[in-house]
Amino acid sequence: MSDDLVTLSVDGVEVSVPKGTLVVDAAKKIGNDIPVFCYHPKLEPVGMCRMCLVEIGLPMRDRATGEPLLNEDGTPQINFGRGLQTGCTVQVSPGMVVRTKTDPVEQARADVIEFLLTSHPLDCPICDKGGECPLQNLTMRHGRGNSRMVFADKLHMEKHVPLGDLIFLDRERCIQCARCVRFQDEVAGDPVIGFHNRGRHLEIATLSEPGFDSYWSGNTTDICPVGALTTADFRFGARPWELTPVATLSPHCPSGSNMTVSTRREAKAGGRSVIKRVMPRQHEAVNEIWISDKDRFVHHFAESADRLTQPLVRKNGKLVAASWTEALDVVAGKLQQAGTAVAGVSGDRLSNEDLFLFQELFRKGLKSNNLDLANGRLAGGDIVAQVGISSGSNLKDLGKGDVVVVVASDLHEEVPVWWLRLKQAAERGAAIVTLNVRGTRLDKYAKHALRYVPGEAVATLRQLVNQSKVETDGQSDDPIAAAAATVGSAGNLVAFYGAEGLTYDETESVAKLLANLLLLKNGDGHAGKKNNGLIPVWPHNNTQGAWDMGIHPSFAPGYKALPEAGLDAHAMYEGAASGTVKALYVLGADPIGDGLMDGRGKLDFLVVQEMFLTATAAAADVVLPAQSWVEREGTFTNAERRVQRYYPAITPVGDSRADWQILAQVGERVGLGKPALAASLVFRDVVKAVKQYKGMDYRSLAKYEKQWPDVGGDDLYYGGNAYENRSGLGQQWVAAAESGKVGMFEVAETAVKSSPGLKLVRTAALYTPGTLISHSAALLGPRMAQPTLSLSTADARKVGVADGNRVEVTANGMTMTATARVGDAPDGVALISGVAYVPGTAVVQIRKLQEEKVA
Amino acid sequence: MAHILLRHRDVENIHQLDVYRQHQGYEALQKVLGMEPAAVTNIVRDSGLRGRGGAGFPTGMKWGFIPKGAGEKYVVINSDESEMGTFKDRELLERNPHQVIEGALIAAYAIGAKQIYNYCRGEFMDAGYAFEQALKDCYANGLLGENILGSGFSCDFSMYFGAGAYICGEETALLNSLMGNLGQPWSKPPFPAVEGLYARPTVVNNTETLANVPPIILNGAEWYKQFGTDRSPGPKIVCLSGHVNKPGNYEIIMGMTYRELIYSEAYGGGISNGKAFKAMLPSGGSGPVVVEDALDAPMTYEGLTPFGSVMGSASVVIMDETVDMVWMAMKCVHFFHHESCGKCTPCREGTYWMEKLLKRIYKGQGTQEDLQTLRSVASNIGGRTLCALGDFAINPVLSTFRHFPQEYEAKIKPAAAVNGQGKKQTAVPVAAD
């Protein structure tokens, strides 16, 4: 037996657990549920609620000799001398004997329940938690069924205390377990709520403006063991037992966060099944049991009144309702008419099945490689296929000795779950190296926070990569050399890269340089090893899948290079303007609204497949109404290349159809044969075409196993209400470096272009307006990111702008208005946030606007 | 005999640095600065000095728990004197501050700390300011700061005023408060000696404890052990209050009886107004009440064990025959309910509940059922709380039940009257004697 294992007995059952394990967890391993309220396996133990009191005995030793004392029958003498102890704060030790079912223990549990209920309002019949409430369940299991507290002696407190726009507190129901306070402090790193006052008047209070200002606030409602914290979205919305949980995935971010949508059929919705809430679903290798508030609250777009419900065809200059048959016939006919001047752009939030059929339509049906992501701001999918993070990796495994490099990305705003997990890795001892044009929140946890001048990202990264190959003692005054020494000594090495302030070509160079860093470490590369590799900070939930499916002018599905590349999106938009592109198919994207395309230009035909009448759709000849992700099934591939399933949850809106169905029906009309009848069958074709997906099918993706910590299920009190994962953990596809040698990448030396003038860099904000969030915005309203331009104090003085001024910002031919913030940017850089997209680092003109007179 | 701790009673103006120094002040510090730190700890350990905050933990052993080696360590003085009837540290801070400072510096030297904090009860403004003045004088005269007395030893000393919470006298709550956190205790381990202030090894000593250190260093452990008993050596300041003719602080040698303390002309001078003694709280509100039979017990850490009580911080509150014991228990429970930090369930909920019950009983609206519930609630708190406050809160209740059950019974209304108020009566009432 390993030295690190400790053997103890719990109610006579022997169990061996790692050193440092707490008594409650050791018991849990053998199915012995010691009841808890304040304890949560993801939080530090505090021993506050006293529910887990158990008898803990230790083997006695002779004081003089140190020898174990034995009973007459040879068994060790056990000393239970210290009375009842909290199982959540005591670590196991060899020979420990734990008793969890004795009279004193049962008595203590009943007494603690009685104490808790003296102040509790017992308003279970109107409580959102009723039915899935740890306090209710443990009262049924361990309580006496009555209270000696005279009801009139109860303390009454406020029941509707907003901690912000999203989370409400019921002070009476709160049992002061501090799970929420501790979560915000320990896990989220946003200590914006705390206790106020003392004794029975102890009260959760928000310390931030706006209230409860954190991207993680919703998680506190999951782990709250009573109905004290509820979301504005769900409170008084439904009873838990009326809800049907359906497994789904984040429709927003490339982490592939596992979630559950709880649905209910409602009369007021015409008997349709509607979303009542979204909660995390456990996946310890992806999002553990946490989701960001964006994932939790930005789902209302699916049921928005603005959804398109039937196909629209332009007649006499106006979009009018049409039948599917008519619309599909027009689309197929017009696309074929355009001949080689046909082109397609796609968004990257659609499923693999959708994107694969889009690709089939163009390459096989229309014989065109003019296929690209509508807003491809980040390159390197093909490089990720070579050296992407190895399958079986888990960011949770990173710790002391390991290094994470993050280039040109603000993970807190782009992929909050990764930010959370890297923060935790840093707390476990991993070294984080950030390389950015400006400071980001991750810098606080970084060992080295490096900066580059706009336009010099590639040159700076090259320095870091080259120097990390050199053996050094790690001591250097030069920040790059010091960071390189850290990187060079990495045990495991994971590299993230984003696009902040970079052109598409620059992101490709960054990806290649990081790939080289992973491939070469003193002759022994990181790439291909578990917990090592490259992770792209893709802009959307299925950008990875789009690359895999060949939504690219130069790659067929599975990264097969094409002999002849098609037009990229930029060329298509130019072609539309000049007339060389005649027909354009826009799938789940809004290039006009995002400012990428200046109207429909000289296009003969524009078809848009969308949920909403976006700016692009409004300019289209045919608009095909698509279903949202919760109305149909499919697969997304996250940026760690994990292919995961999601399932239909609500009744489809109007006559909308799943994207893959629409594309199959267009495909049929251009000669691609009978359409597949189910997403699972389309996925079979995907697997045939994408060699990396070999061995996957809908059944294998749905496989799951018990995860630790053990949350959800009957014992929901143990970890909170996060859903246990019974719908699939997905499968990661194997990067090339895992199975064979991968050569180094050539990265051409480019002269650093240093042009004078202020450079504009677009920075990410989680709640930046976009098609999905803008149709879910009511709840997040005050938190939505507004266009903001940040300037250094010196630069602001130069352009004559003061904090709070309205300004007009012009760069790369795009003009935006924003509010100026002074003091929050490095010199020479103007940071713009709250806007859709600005490529690269363009020279910017800033003009102060006269204050508009309010009538 | 001259005072060892309350030296200002013998030496006028000893709060002034020059006066203190004229009377061997800082000679103990001078002495230890030439010694091995471990040897200093050994002297204190050999002296048998025990913590004067009430728990009586051996001081030298506490210092010995601090890991050797580099890194920040802290000495924190617990001057958050908030126990009912306790006012000894206040007098030391105000009138003999340098002896406390010197003791703390010796502790800092012994454990290798470079920073001392005095966590002072917020209401002790005058005492606190007097102490701060003493600190300023030390800084001005090379007794604090860099290179103290030219020895190479450097140590800073800061004053911190609490915000009025009894619980912050509990060492981990004190440390939390000192760090700017909510004043709540944490579940030990980690003990402060391992992870205390800012997660660094920390010694937390009571003010009076540290005042004992300079004389021990100057005169040696053997000298110190001649005072008191084997297990409770040395002098102790007793805070005598309540129905006695001469309340106040008295420095006694441990082993003296409570009877002598109360009745001797040198101390309490007897019960006031010629009334008879009824009961005594030997340790403020937090220790069980004792009656006449305990008066011949010695004032030592073990002396009251046979009587189910403790000496604690030696805050002796005397009650004469006129005191209503239910009222007394109610007042104490009110205090503990008000001061319960709310962190752990039994104390937070139980003190609230006990106060409700006691108020009802005291007003004559209680029932036999309430009496039973009160005893049961008190027992259910006992031994199940995170810190000792819960156990303190039940002492006045359970000890008055033990010694004065008839006073509770006398307040219970007959069943008919209670039923008349519409309350369900489930137990048969017992008529008062």
Side-chain angles (χ1 to χ4, degrees), chain A residues 46-50 53 84 89 107-108 111-112 114-116 118-119 148-150 153-155 175-176 195 198-200 202, chain B residues 164-165 182 184 187 338-346 348-350 352-353 356 360 373 376-377 380-381 384-386 423:
Chain A
V46 285
M48 291 163 66
C49 75
R50 319 305 284 178
L53 289 170
L84 297 178
T89 58
Q107 185 82 20
D111 293 341
V112 171
E114 185 184 35
F115 278 133
L116 284 171
T118 58
S119 290
R148 295 172 293 170
M149 177 90 168
V150 175
D153 282 350
K154 265 189 195 289
L155 198 60
I175 60 166
Q176 282 89 4
F195 276 127
R198 74 176 176 229
R200 193 58 192 86
L202 209 58
Chain B
L182 200 65
Q184 291 187 333
S187 176
H338 185 256
E339 297 296 344
S340 172
C341 80
K343 184 166 182 172
C344 76
T345 309
R348 177 183 68 232
E349 309 292 346
Y352 172 83
W353 194 359
K356 285 279 177 194
R360 195 156 53 235
T373 306
S376 163
V377 169
N380 292 351
I381 297 171
R384 292 176 182 167
T385 55
L386 194 148
K423 190 181 177 317

Side-chain angles (χ1 to χ4, degrees), chain A residues 781-821:
Chain A
R783 282 157 210 264
M784 289 289 284
Q786 303 299 326
T788 305
L789 184 80
S790 300
L791 295 168
S792 74
T793 312
D795 288 333
R797 201 175 301 127
K798 272 186 222 159
V799 296
V801 166
D803 197 78
N805 283 167
R806 295 286 295 162
V807 291
E808 186 182 82
V809 184
T810 309
N812 264 0
M814 294 168 76
T815 297
M816 298 154 276
T817 53
T819 306
R821 289 278 165 256

Side-chain angles (χ1 to χ4, degrees), chain A residues 659-672:
Chain A
D659 287 286
W660 64 266
Q661 281 175 319
I662 303 170
L663 291 160
Q665 285 157 354
V666 176
E668 185 183 18
R669 283 166 169 78
V670 301
L672 286 180

Side-chain angles (χ1 to χ4, degrees), chain A residues 16 21 73 124 136 167 171 201 233 296 514 650 734 750:
Chain A
S16 295
T21 303
D73 61 359
C124 308
Q136 215 175 31
I167 309 295
R171 288 191 56 204
H201 293 275
D233 210 17
R296 186 182 304 265
L514 289 172
I650 63 167
V734 175
T750 45

Side-chain angles (χ1 to χ4, degrees), chain A residues 121-405:
Chain A
L122 298 171
D123 59 349
C124 308
I126 57 153
C127 177
D128 288 317
K129 209 79 164 193
E132 56 178 11
C133 172
L135 181 60
Q136 215 175 31
N137 286 6
L138 292 181
T139 298
M140 299 306 284
R141 204 168 304 169
H142 300 289
R144 291 201 184 88
N146 61 350
S147 173
R148 295 172 293 170
M149 177 90 168
V150 175
F151 201 77
D153 282 350
K154 265 189 195 289
L155 198 60
H156 289 290
M157 281 174 287
E158 284 173 282
K159 293 188 74 68
H160 306 282
V161 184
L163 291 179
D165 318 294
L166 299 175
I167 309 295
F168 281 78
L169 167 68
D170 183 315
R171 288 191 56 204
E172 286 190 330
R173 293 181 191 155
C174 178
I175 60 166
Q176 282 89 4
C177 70
R179 275 187 180 182
C180 54
V181 174
R182 288 148 57 213
F183 168 81
Q184 284 299 132
D185 184 24
E186 294 171 24
V187 179
D190 287 331
V192 295
I193 54 171
F195 276 127
H196 168 64
N197 226 318
R198 74 176 176 229
R200 193 58 192 86
H201 293 275
L202 209 58
E203 173 183 2
I204 310 291
T206 176
L207 317 168
S208 63
E209 186 54 49
F212 208 159
D213 189 16
S214 170
Y215 290 160
W216 304 100
S217 65
N219 294 291
T220 60
T221 65
D222 303 334
I223 60 174
C224 178
V226 293
L229 294 177
T230 49
T231 65
D233 210 17
F234 179 60
R235 65 197 313 258
F236 305 129
R239 308 318 307 271
W241 57 85
E242 302 163 349
L243 299 175
T244 305
V246 182
T248 194
L249 301 168
S250 167
H252 304 293
C253 88
S255 67
S257 285
N258 284 214
M259 318 195 297
T260 297
V261 289
S262 298
T263 64
R264 182 176 77 164
R265 290 189 64 200
E266 292 197 341
K268 69 178 178 194
R272 299 178 62 244
S273 219
V274 298
I275 299 178
K276 299 310 293 180
R277 65 177 181 188
V278 174
M279 282 171 67
R281 180 166 55 108
Q282 186 179 27
H283 197 319
E284 290 298 319
V286 174
N287 56 310
E288 303 181 24
I289 54 169
W290 316 121
I291 55 172
S292 72
D293 285 354
K294 184 175 179 182
D295 284 340
R296 186 182 304 265
F297 297 119
V298 182
H299 61 80
H300 293 279
F301 66 85
E303 291 162 342
S304 161
D306 300 338
R307 281 282 302 275
L308 295 169
T309 56
Q310 50 192 332
L312 303 173
V313 174
R314 191 170 294 279
K315 288 175 186 165
N316 302 322
K318 286 175 90 172
L319 283 172
V320 294
S323 70
W324 272 106
T325 308
E326 182 188 355
L328 291 169
D329 285 347
V330 171
V331 171
K334 290 283 187 182
L335 291 177
Q336 284 175 309
Q337 271 176 30
T340 54
V342 68
V345 292
S346 143
D348 32 8
R349 56 177 147 83
L350 302 183
S351 80
N352 290 325
E353 294 76 8
D354 305 333
L355 297 165
F356 179 73
L357 288 188
F358 193 50
Q359 179 277 147
E360 291 281 279
L361 172 67
F362 271 79
R363 297 232 165 83
K364 291 197 176 147
L366 303 169
K367 312 282 185 244
S368 170
N369 282 327
N370 295 338
L371 197 60
D372 201 358
L373 287 174
N375 196 350
R377 62 181 82 156
L378 186 60
D382 48 329
I383 299 156
V384 171
Q386 304 286 305
V387 299
I389 189 162
S390 299
S391 52
S393 298
N394 187 342
L395 297 177
K396 213 162 82 168
D397 295 341
L398 298 176
K400 207 164 173 49
D402 300 331
V403 177
V404 182
V405 180

Side-chain angles (χ1 to χ4, degrees), chain B residues 233-256:
Chain B
K236 176 82 191 83
I237 304 176
V238 178
C239 314
L240 182 62
S241 65
H243 294 137
V244 285
N245 283 317
K246 294 196 292 175
N249 280 328
Y250 295 102
E251 181 175 322
I252 59 124
I253 297 301
M254 282 196 276
M256 197 176 92

